[in-house]
Structure formats: C-alpha cells, structure tokens
Amino acid sequence: MPYFYLKMALKNGFRHRLRATLTITGIVIAILAFGLLRTIVNAWYAGADAASESRLVTRNSISLVFTLPISYKEKIRQVDGIKGLSWANWFGGVYIDERNFFPQFAVDAASYMPLYPEYQFDEAEHKAFLLDKRGAAVGRKLATRYGWKVGDTVPLKGTIFPGTYQFVVRAIFDGKTKNTDTNVFFFHWQLLNDRMEQLYPGRANRIGVFIIGLSDPAGAAQVSQTIDREFRNSLAETLTETEKAFQLGFVAMTEAIVVAIEIVAYVVILIIMAVMANTMAMAARERTAEYATLKALGFAPGVVGRLIFIESMLLAAIGGAIGIALTFPVARAFGSALDNLFPIFNISQQTIMLQVLSAAVVGLAAAVIPAIRSSRVRIVEGLRNIG
C-alpha cells in the first residue's frame, strides 16, 4: 500500500510539470529565505551566545561613553571570588577608509589574554606580541580579509583618540571554536595611555571597561554587588554585569530590527503556505471525477485524502530539501560579503530544524482542505464531471 500511495503521488504531483516546478521553486526560495533570515538573527546574538559565564564586565554606570580611573583596579582585586582582572578601551580607529570597519581594543595584553582562552595563539607569536609595545594581535578572519601577515605595519587613524598610530602585526590568532570571533584587533593599552599622557593628560590613566575573571561563575551576582557597592557615591560609579548581559545590552539597542527580521521570516513561510494550498486545491478540483471513480471502485474516503496529503508532502519535501541544501553555500557567500558586520555567520542546528519543520507544516497545511473536500465528494456528482 505505501508503494501505491508513493507511485500515485509522483504521478499526480508531476502531471502538470510546469505547475509542479513553479510550486517547488517557490518553496525552495521560501525555505532558503527563511534560513538566511534566521541565520542573520542568530548572528545578531552571536556575541551574547559566545559570552563566558566566568567573566564579568565593569563599566561606568552612566554610559560606556564615560570612562573609569585605572586606579579602581586595586580595590577590585581585593574582592573575594576574583581570579583575574584586566581592562580595555574601545579604540574606534580608521584603517585607510571608514568603510573598513572592524573592532579594535587597547588591552593590557599580559592580563587580558589569559581571561580569553578561546583565542588560540602560536606561543612564539604571543611572546613577540607581549614584548613589542607597538605590536598588535590580529584575529585570523581579519588578517585574511586584509591580507596581513606577521611583521606587516598597520596604520590606524584615531577618531576617539586623535593621531595616527602605526602598529606591527606580531601575532595572528585563531578561534577555539567556529563561533569564536576572530574579526578583532588588539594592541597594548600602555601605548595608548603613554600617548594620552603626552598630548591629553586629563584623558590618561582611564579605561573603558574592566574584565573580571571569576573563581566560581555561581558567585557572579555577589561579586557584582560588592564591586558596585565599593564605588557607590564616587565620582565614577560602576555597573558590573555578566559578559552575556553586557553583550545583550548592545543587541537591545537594535531589538526592533531583529524583531522585524524574525517577523518577515515567518511571513515568508505563511505566503508560500497560501500558494501551496492554492496549488493543491486546483489539483484536487481537477481530479474530482477520478476521486469519484476510486470511491466507486471501493476505495475508502480516507484513501483519497491520503493521496492528496502525500502528494502535498512530496512537493514540500523536494522543495524543502533543495532549499536547505542551498542555504549553506548562499549563507557562506553572504557571510563572506558582510563579515565586517557579522563576524560569526553560521547556520545553527536549530535553524535547519526550523526549516524542516516549516516545509512539513507547509505540506500538511496546504493539503487539509483539499483532502477533506475530495474525501467527501459524492460519487454521482463526481462522475458527472467526466467528459
């Protein structure tokens, strides 16, 4: 019996080849678009998803625009539950052209890198980076994009910190996993601070954020409260939060865009569901006489309904499979073209599962009404359509 259903579904589904081809093409485009839009949403949250539970971020409680004095580090170190402390400044420089955007951070490399074991260094290059005050450590993806090699000089024109800075690439690091962001540029905080002391003494010895490594992630709330309480009523009060909460703060600024993309993704599925339902309704109406004949020969109404369901699922499965298969190369090309905006652009297992589920729902939903109507067709009325 399964062979009978499959054989009939194949014959009926491709009886009108042009219509079947156009329907499958529509499903392919819908599933592909759905997968890409879901991947964009995931890329938006990639930073938060990759955040470590064992790290806290302390910043100025008013805004990231305002800095904190480096002298806070001594008091923070004394808080119980801390095993590592470092600091960083967002640099925001321009490489040749403003279109060449990538994240740049001035960090205290000796204390910063141990807090980020996901950055994998060659030992000799790492040592060279630590010893060279003008040295820079560059992520693999960023180095590949601009063709940088170890020993190359990279000029950055400061926008927040005026002046042109010449850095020498001393290390190119890889990510521990495919979700590690290697589209990032690090250099020594001390170099930046020395420049500020010479040119703008009032801006020296200030940092953007403290990065705190926890002995036990379960103590994050207690450590955060202790740090913020320590600097309460000071000239620069602090706000300490988990790294994930810190990253989600950036996502929240553009949450409306993310929600809009998610809505569009599901609207695409609804549209193709309506198109598919129309296709199945037309096909079932054209075969009213055939279904009446089957019932006259003794086939149960359920057989007629199952024939329509299987035909619909077959078309949806073919379109869904092609759409999912095309998602990988298209996403790869999309991610390469926009890797400055989306440094991590990977198709998740959840996205693939949602694509499969969407194709199945489209196939099932499109067949419901045609199947019910066809299974209820009266033999006499159906046979009147012959000829």
Side-chain angles (χ1 to χ4, degrees):
M1 202 64 175
Y3 176 74
F4 166 75
Y5 284 123
L6 184 60
K7 183 179 177 183
M8 292 296 291
L10 282 169
K11 285 190 174 181
N12 289 335
F14 291 92
R15 187 180 297 183
H16 295 279
R17 292 184 179 178
L18 178 60
R19 185 166 66 195
T21 302
L22 291 175
T23 302
I24 290 173
T25 302
I27 296 171
V28 169
I29 294 172
I31 296 298
L32 173 60
F34 179 80
L36 281 178
L37 291 172
R38 284 293 312 172
T39 303
I40 289 174
V41 172
N42 291 340
W44 225 288
Y45 287 95
D49 292 339
S52 170
E53 295 181 351
S54 63
R55 290 193 292 259
L56 296 177
V57 178
T58 298
R59 63 177 177 85
N60 192 301
S61 63
I62 299 174
S63 166
L64 271 172
V65 174
F66 299 95
T67 56
L68 295 172
I70 187 67
S71 58
Y72 278 17
K73 65 181 181 181
E74 303 304 334
K75 289 186 177 179
I76 293 176
R77 277 202 180 102
Q78 295 173 14
V79 175
D80 291 337
I82 293 178
K83 71 172 183 179
L85 173 67
S86 190
W87 52 92
N89 276 83
W90 171 263
F91 184 64
V94 175
Y95 174 63
I96 303 177
D97 189 284
E98 291 184 352
R99 289 174 296 182
N100 298 326
F101 172 80
F102 53 86
Q104 307 140 21
F105 295 96
V107 301
D108 180 60
S111 59
Y112 189 89
M113 294 308 170
L115 294 176
Y116 289 84
E118 57 265 43
Y119 297 140
Q120 306 282 294
F121 283 87
D122 174 85
E123 190 174 342
E125 291 183 1
H126 186 224
K127 187 176 180 180
F129 168 54
L130 293 177
L131 293 176
D132 186 356
K133 194 174 179 181
R134 288 180 54 218
V138 183
R140 180 70 64 187
K141 183 177 284 187
L142 185 62
T144 302
R145 193 203 313 174
Y146 294 111
W148 294 337
K149 302 182 293 297
V150 172
D152 287 355
T153 299
V154 178
L156 292 181
K157 184 179 180 181
T159 53
I160 302 172
F161 303 94
T164 299
Y165 299 73
Q166 302 284 341
F167 299 104
V168 179
V169 177
R170 291 301 181 196
I172 297 175
F173 59 86
D174 294 294
K176 190 173 184 179
T177 69
K178 66 177 183 178
N179 290 329
T180 301
D181 181 9
T182 57
N183 186 52
V184 63
F185 185 99
F186 294 114
F187 64 93
H188 293 285
W189 178 84
Q190 195 59 54
L191 176 77
L192 181 65
N193 194 56
D194 288 350
R195 179 74 68 94
M196 290 300 102
E197 282 186 335
Q198 293 173 3
L199 302 177
Y200 309 97
R203 298 180 63 183
N205 297 312
R206 310 286 296 186
I207 61 92
V209 293
F210 284 107
I211 311 297
I212 297 162
L214 296 171
S215 303
D216 180 6
Q222 181 64 38
V223 173
S224 300
Q225 291 171 7
T226 304
I227 293 172
D228 292 343
R229 190 166 51 243
E230 178 69 35
F231 301 107
R232 189 172 298 161
N233 297 322
S234 66
L235 289 177
E237 294 188 350
T238 61
L239 172 64
T240 304
E241 54 196 345
T242 61
E243 190 177 65
K244 184 164 190 173
F246 180 74
Q247 294 287 352
L248 287 174
F250 290 99
V251 176
M253 297 177 191
T254 55
E255 190 173 11
I257 298 174
V258 179
V259 172
I261 292 173
E262 284 195 281
I263 291 173
V264 170
Y266 286 101
V267 167
V268 168
I269 296 300
L270 287 175
I271 291 173
I272 194 59
M273 188 184 296
V275 172
M276 182 77 176
N278 182 56
T279 299
M280 294 310 301
M282 288 173 61
R285 189 166 54 249
E286 290 170 358
R287 296 175 206 144
T288 301
E290 296 174 26
Y291 295 142
T293 303
L294 285 174
K295 293 177 75 173
L297 291 173
F299 286 92
V303 174
V304 174
R306 282 192 285 275
L307 283 173
I308 295 174
F309 266 112
I310 293 173
E311 179 183 339
S312 179
M313 289 298 295
L314 181 66
L315 294 176
I318 294 172
I322 297 173
I324 293 170
L326 287 177
T327 304
F328 291 91
V330 173
R332 195 158 45 244
F334 191 88
S336 299
L338 297 175
D339 62 351
N340 57 336
L341 292 177
F342 302 115
I344 301 172
F345 198 80
N346 299 321
I347 302 169
S348 68
Q349 290 287 335
Q350 184 187 33
T351 296
I352 296 171
M353 292 302 297
L354 285 173
Q355 285 180 297
V356 172
L357 182 63
S358 298
V361 169
V362 166
L364 286 170
V368 170
I369 295 177
I372 293 173
R373 285 182 175 176
S374 297
S375 62
R376 291 177 177 174
V377 68
R378 297 178 64 181
I379 296 174
V380 175
E381 291 178 357
L383 293 177
R384 284 176 184 163
N385 292 319
I386 295 177

